[in-house]
Every structure is written in C-alpha cells, then in structure tokens.
Amino acid sequence: MSNETKQSLDINQSNIAQLSSELDKKCRSDKAALEEQWKTAGKTPGLEIWRIENYKVVPWDKSQYGKFYDGDSYIILNTSDASPKHAIYFWLGQLTSTDESATAGFKATELDDFLGGDPIVGRQIQGHESDDFLALFPENTIFILNGGVESAFKHTQPEKYRPRLLHVKGKKNVTVTEVPLTYRALNSGDVFILDAGLMIIVWTGSKSSPSEKAKACSLSNAIKSDRRGLPEVTVTAESDSPAQFFKLLGGIGPVSDAAAGGSDLENDRRSRSVLCKLSDASGKLEFKEIARDKNIKRSLLDDNDVFIISTGFEIYIWVGNKASLSEKKKAFSFASEFIKTTGLPPYTPVIRFICGGDNVLFEEFFTK
C-alpha cells in the first residue's frame, strides 16, 4: 500500500487493546521459536530494530537506526548487562496501517515470550515517545521521515536530492520530523532545517530553544558529512531569512507564532497521577483505583498482583513476580481501557515491566 492511500492510525484499534485476545492467541499459536528473526535476538548487548513488511519481521539497516518512516511500524529490542536484560518497544508511525500496527504489537509480545516474559515492553506512538525510549538513541533524538515500506532509505546523490523541510523541536528530548515543504509549516518557537541537497539552511525561530538550535546544527553537519562534505550549511534567524529559503518553500508568507508549535515544557508529572490495582485474589479479575497524586507510595505495590500507574504522560504496568497468568495477560487490555475511560490521549505511551526490573524513570516517579 502506498503512503498516499494510508490514513492516520486509529490508536484505539491498534495493538494493546487486542493483546491477549483470541486474535492475539491465534497469532501467537505459531510458537515464537519458529520466528527466524528471534533466533539470535538479544544474544549480545546493544540495539536491534526490525520493520514490519507484509506481516513479516524484517531487520532494519543498522546505518538507519534512529530513523523511522511515518508510514511504518517497528520493533525495537535493547539488550544490556543490567537487570532487566531486555527492553522491547513497538513504534507506530502516524500513517502506519492497522494491520502493520497489530502485527508489530503481536510480534513484540511474541518476542517477549521468546525472551522469557521478563523484558520491559512498551508501545510508542510517533511524536509522543517516552523518555526511556528516546534515551536509546544518541542525544535522545529520533529522526522521522515521510513514507513507508516502499520508500526504503537510500543514500542519495546530493545534487539529485529531493528538497525536504525538517522540524526540530524539544528541550530535554529533541525530535526531528519531516513536515510539508511550505512556509505554513514554520513557527517562531522551533527550528527548521531546509535540506535541498547541496544547500542546507538552518532556520531558527525567534523563540526557539538552545537545545533545538544545537540539535539542528549537529544534524545539519551530520547530513553534510554523509554527503562527503559537499553541501553548504547556512544558519539564519527568523528575522533575516534569505530569499532563497522561501523560494524553496514555494513562496513567502506569515510565520505562525510559537504557540502554534506546541509547548516544549512538561507539566507537573504528579498533578494527574493515579495508581490502580489489577487482581484476581477474590476469585474474579478486579480493577480498581487505590491511590492518587501525593498518596501514591511505592509500599502500596504488592508482589502478588499487577498495578497500573498513570503519570498523566505515560502508563506504567508493574507486574509482581507472583502475579497470576490472568493478571499478566490482561494488563495491556486494562491499560488500554484506562486510557479511553479517563480521557488520556490515545497515543499515551504504555510501558510494562516485571518487579525487580531497573526502570529509572519509574523509580524517579516515586521519589518526587
């Protein structure tokens, strides 16, 4: 399917709501050990990435790690010497198909099964990635390109390069996303890179952050290096943009204010936090809120059950070592339902890990 015929992903119809469903069980009935890609997965420390192509798990070119297409779905495995040893994520582009996103979710769960069920597992939606996911990449930055499976990345000759406009945004975690090649995509609060092959113009909004400017400069220099040093890199401020810049954007017009680009600042993580317990100790599976905001204490976590913690920005699924199989298998479904019933954005990151796993951001939540 070409990227032009795809529609924006309906998050409510993708992956986590269907994990542990009959469809999930059917997909996983072919044992994970039969998946060729899992045979060597997680054997050595480092990052491994696969893209979903026609329902298959295909290795992503290592030279392209950190680059994702908005029309695709990916599975990312990080292996370390720490505990837990493995962390699995499935990343969904905003234009990926429902079939691709579901396959990524099922295959990520299959990989989890293959690695023993102990890895951290997290869903990531384009533009709303969690801190621990972004931390896997240099400078906490990922690079999002337009296109999909049919647009496999190729090293292009700089003199034949298709012009593109890259949006650089963030403070602590900076993301780089390709946006429409028009002045209408600009805003005063962020930095943009106009990449025209042999000409690279870094345009800095009047209210852009130092981290955005630094990231844009390092990225433009990396692009130049990748093209054998041939491109000329120019840095320009919003107030003195060269005519050539707007000519390549198809014309000049008013630039949106900083508010149009959204806020770089994070809100108070404890202002909307909720702790819920998933337990079948009574003989039936029950899900209920047990604490909120400042009353959430780590001592409330019980190794016999599963807990879902909403920070207002992420959903953490904490699985006790003695939790029942039913509690473990239904955790993602309850997290999905919690997102819908509480009005959280459907793209909210969901991260699951086992008690004893060293999740720094999770532990930090309780120390605030």
Side-chain angles (χ1 to χ4, degrees), residues 204-239:
T204 60
S206 59
K207 296 184 179 179
S208 57
S209 70
S211 54
E212 290 168 341
K213 295 174 183 177
K215 166 53 64 178
C217 287
S218 64
L219 177 58
S220 59
N221 286 327
I223 295 173
K224 177 178 180 178
S225 177
D226 187 55
R227 296 177 196 158
R228 307 185 302 279
L230 297 177
E232 177 184 353
V233 177
T234 302
V235 179
T236 183
E238 177 180 349
S239 58

Side-chain angles (χ1 to χ4, degrees), residues 120-361:
I120 293 173
V121 181
R123 180 195 71 168
Q124 305 291 315
I125 305 300
Q126 176 186 334
H128 306 279
E129 294 80 3
S130 61
D131 291 349
D132 55 343
F133 176 77
L134 292 174
L136 298 176
F137 303 96
E139 300 182 51
N140 291 2
T141 302
I142 59 174
F143 190 51
I144 301 170
L145 303 171
N146 288 343
V149 171
E150 299 84 359
S151 305
F153 188 91
K154 299 179 181 179
H155 288 284
T156 310
Q157 295 179 3
E159 62 274 11
K160 298 180 181 179
Y161 204 82
R162 172 183 65 83
R164 59 182 178 173
L165 185 63
L166 306 176
H167 181 190
V168 182
K169 180 173 184 60
K171 287 195 173 181
K172 178 182 178 182
N173 297 315
V174 182
T175 59
V176 182
T177 306
E178 185 174 355
V179 294
L181 192 67
T182 170
Y183 72 85
R184 295 181 179 86
L186 304 175
N187 74 79
S188 297
D190 300 317
V191 175
F192 294 79
I193 301 173
L194 178 55
D195 177 8
L198 291 175
M199 178 189 299
I200 300 173
I201 301 175
V202 178
W203 184 91
T204 60
S206 59
K207 296 184 179 179
S208 57
S209 70
S211 54
E212 290 168 341
K213 295 174 183 177
K215 166 53 64 178
C217 287
S218 64
L219 177 58
S220 59
N221 286 327
I223 295 173
K224 177 178 180 178
S225 177
D226 187 55
R227 296 177 196 158
R228 307 185 302 279
L230 297 177
E232 177 184 353
V233 177
T234 302
V235 179
T236 183
E238 177 180 349
S239 58
D240 56 7
S241 305
Q244 182 66 14
F245 177 76
F246 283 103
K247 181 179 180 180
L248 290 169
L249 293 182
I252 191 169
V255 173
S256 299
D257 61 20
S263 174
D264 294 331
L265 299 175
E266 292 186 349
N267 296 318
D268 182 357
R269 287 178 175 269
R270 299 306 299 270
S271 62
R272 294 177 290 169
S273 53
V274 179
L275 174 64
C276 296
K277 180 179 180 179
L278 179 63
S279 176
D280 58 10
S282 66
K284 64 178 181 179
L285 202 58
E286 296 181 322
F287 182 69
K288 61 182 180 181
E289 179 182 325
I290 61 173
R292 181 178 288 264
D293 300 326
K294 294 182 180 180
N295 293 320
I296 297 177
K297 309 294 182 184
R298 204 185 192 293
S299 58
L300 293 173
L301 304 182
D302 184 341
D303 201 36
N304 294 295
D305 297 307
V306 169
F307 292 81
I308 293 177
I309 301 97
S310 170
T311 69
F313 290 85
E314 303 97 4
I315 297 289
Y316 289 107
I317 300 174
W318 185 92
V319 181
N321 286 310
K322 299 177 183 179
S324 69
L325 182 61
S326 176
E327 291 167 351
K328 293 177 181 178
K329 295 299 184 183
K330 291 296 183 180
F332 268 107
S333 295
F334 276 92
S336 177
E337 187 62 25
F338 179 88
I339 289 173
K340 287 193 288 185
T341 58
T342 58
L344 285 172
Y347 48 71
T348 300
V350 180
I351 304 165
R352 188 221 70 183
F353 62 97
I354 307 298
C355 171
D358 183 16
N359 188 291
V360 176
L361 292 174

Side-chain angles (χ1 to χ4, degrees), residues 105-127:
F106 295 141
K107 282 295 185 179
T109 306
E110 183 184 87
L111 177 58
D112 177 41
D113 290 339
F114 182 75
L115 295 175
D118 291 333
I120 293 173
V121 181
R123 180 195 71 168
Q124 305 291 315
I125 305 300
Q126 176 186 334

